[in-house]
Amino acid sequence: MATAPVTKAIAAINVAIALLMLIPGVYAPVTVAGALIPARFTLGDAVFGDVGYMLPVWLTPFSSAFLHGGILHVTLNMLMLLMVGANLERVLGGKGVTAVYGLGIIAAAVAQFASDPQSPVPVVGASGAISALFASHMQLFPRKRPKTWGVLSGKLVHALQLLAGWIAFNLMLGFVGPGVGVNIAIWAHIGGFIAGLLITWPLLEWRYRNA
């Protein structure tokens, strides 16, 4: 039996698309066509001129999650995906990983849009979805047993601690990134992480209730 087939399939699709993007003349039009561009939702396509090859705007949150800004970008993202995805797939199953990843894509897009609805900057990458997987992994594989805090359960306290740490980490990345020439969609990371926090335990209960 293959180990973590869904995780590996997601990684393979991302890598294959990244390699196709290396073909001369492909990167720019595909990025414009498929990237998440918040301004398309608020201002419409007309502001971008007569560009007839754009994907429908509602599809771009999903298509953008399979586009990357180069080989280094996709390599780092896929290494992180494989690092946490295999463990999660053992616990949540392939359908569970797909659900976390998919909801992470949606939540990342919503959060990034909400942070600047009129931004014309294309947003690409799987990091929002991978952030959701990280949130699931951190909850299911904690370094120590979560402790209750007053009337708050250990699970809730742990989730709040993880969220606070993730927000702080990404705000730091947002501060440092531009200084080294890297624009990081920190709100996509945060949105995806919140999605992972919310869906993990319901998914786990659903899986073992229907096992």
Side-chain angles (χ1 to χ4, degrees):
M1 181 182 295
T3 303
V6 170
T7 300
K8 291 178 179 178
I10 294 172
I13 293 169
N14 275 279
V15 171
I17 292 173
L19 292 175
L20 288 174
M21 297 279 279
L22 294 176
I23 299 173
V26 169
Y27 181 82
V30 170
T31 299
V32 171
L36 171 70
I37 304 175
R40 288 189 64 194
F41 288 88
T42 52
L43 304 177
D45 290 351
V47 297
F48 295 94
D50 186 18
V51 180
Y53 53 78
M54 285 182 167
L55 291 178
V57 67
W58 60 267
L59 188 60
T60 58
F62 299 96
S63 58
S64 64
F66 291 90
L67 302 175
H68 287 83
I71 292 299
L72 178 60
H73 189 198
V74 72
T75 299
L76 291 175
N77 272 351
M78 293 308 103
L79 285 175
M80 290 188 289
L81 169 64
L82 293 171
M83 183 172 66
V84 299
N87 278 343
L88 280 179
E89 199 162 337
R90 281 194 299 109
V91 178
L92 296 179
K95 292 181 180 178
V97 166
T98 302
V100 175
Y101 199 84
L103 185 60
I105 288 175
I106 296 170
V110 170
Q112 192 62 34
F113 170 81
S115 70
D116 190 356
Q118 296 188 0
S119 172
V121 179
V123 179
V124 296
S127 53
I130 294 170
S131 294
L133 296 181
F134 265 102
S136 290
H137 194 275
M138 289 176 184
Q139 288 186 103
L140 295 175
F141 300 95
R143 290 187 296 176
K144 57 184 179 180
R145 184 180 179 86
K147 296 181 179 179
T148 59
W149 184 18
V151 297
L152 301 180
S153 69
K155 287 181 181 179
L156 179 57
V157 171
H158 189 220
L160 292 174
Q161 290 172 335
L162 291 174
L163 179 58
W166 191 255
I167 291 174
F169 173 68
N170 276 277
L171 290 177
M172 182 180 67
L173 287 179
F175 178 76
V176 174
V180 294
V182 178
N183 291 318
I184 301 172
I186 63 171
W187 295 109
H189 294 181
I190 293 170
F193 195 83
I194 291 172
L197 290 177
L198 293 175
I199 197 176
T200 301
W201 295 115
L203 269 178
L204 186 65
E205 293 174 6
W206 173 84
R207 187 187 185 202
Y208 287 101
R209 188 168 57 244
N210 293 278

